[in-house]
Amino acid sequence: MRIHILNGPNLNLLGTREVAIYGKQTLGDIDARLAEVAEELGVEVDSYQSNHEGALIDAIHRQRGRADGLIINPGAFTHTSVALRDAIDAVQIPTVEVHLSNIHARETFRHHSFLAPVCLGQIAGFGPASYELALRALVEALRDRGEPS
Ligand code: DQA
């Protein structure tokens, strides 16, 4: 089973960006932890980050026929991008939306997600653990659906 992890704008700055909200771990730290969890679960993971909406859409399209599941932290595109939502809907790959912060407890413009309705679920507010929880939940959901392990 292959899981692809996508990270949107400004997440390359994790570790130095708004540390009080997003914490001190870098995206590299998060990827390293996900690699450990993937090994424990017996699945393959790889990841991609871009600050550009079109590049993220292209990356989602590239996963057709490759990834069994997607995990995406769309960053600010969560709250703006119909195009990213349509890309996820179009490829029909089961997807989990993740956020480090609890977007529902922040500014009102962060409360709405264009992507959530086309995702299996959303995990928000647990810092870097949001990604680990998403990976565990997605693998379990795919195995329940009978995806080859
Ligand atoms: C975020 C939440 C978004 O509102 C914000 O724009 C981000 C990060 C999070 O992981 O908490 O860039 O997706």
Side-chain angles (χ1 to χ4, degrees):
M1 184 183 294
R2 193 169 162 274
I3 308 296
H4 190 65
I5 297 151
L6 291 142
N7 281 288
N10 302 307
L11 293 165
N12 55 311
L13 299 182
L14 283 180
T16 56
R17 171 195 182 204
E18 296 187 87
V19 169
I21 296 174
Y22 298 119
K24 288 190 180 158
Q25 287 197 36
T26 65
L27 200 52
D29 295 334
I30 291 171
D31 280 344
R33 176 64 191 148
L34 288 172
E36 284 176 8
V37 176
E39 195 175 333
E40 177 201 318
L41 296 173
V43 301
E44 284 175 49
V45 286
D46 61 359
S47 66
Y48 176 77
Q49 188 275 332
S50 177
N51 294 319
H52 305 279
E53 189 175 14
L56 290 164
I57 291 165
D58 288 342
I60 292 168
H61 292 178
R62 276 197 300 275
Q63 294 308 314
R64 272 184 302 184
R66 289 166 101 177
D68 300 297
L70 301 176
I71 292 172
I72 184 165
N73 183 346
F77 291 145
T78 308
H79 321 298
T80 63
S81 182
V82 175
L84 267 181
R85 172 209 166 108
D86 284 352
I88 291 168
D89 208 14
V91 298
Q92 287 290 302
I93 302 172
T95 300
V96 177
E97 177 183 332
V98 303
H99 299 282
L100 295 144
S101 63
N102 179 359
I103 56 173
H104 305 286
R106 297 182 63 195
E107 303 97 320
T108 48
F109 66 83
R110 294 186 204 276
H111 294 184
H112 179 256
S113 166
F114 279 102
L115 280 70
V118 296
C119 290
L120 281 183
Q122 181 194 71
I123 298 177
F126 296 98
S130 290
Y131 288 85
E132 177 176 340
L133 293 167
L135 180 57
R136 291 184 187 281
L138 180 57
V139 169
E140 190 169 328
L142 292 172
R143 286 184 173 151
D144 282 352
R145 288 176 171 208
E147 287 289 333
S149 56

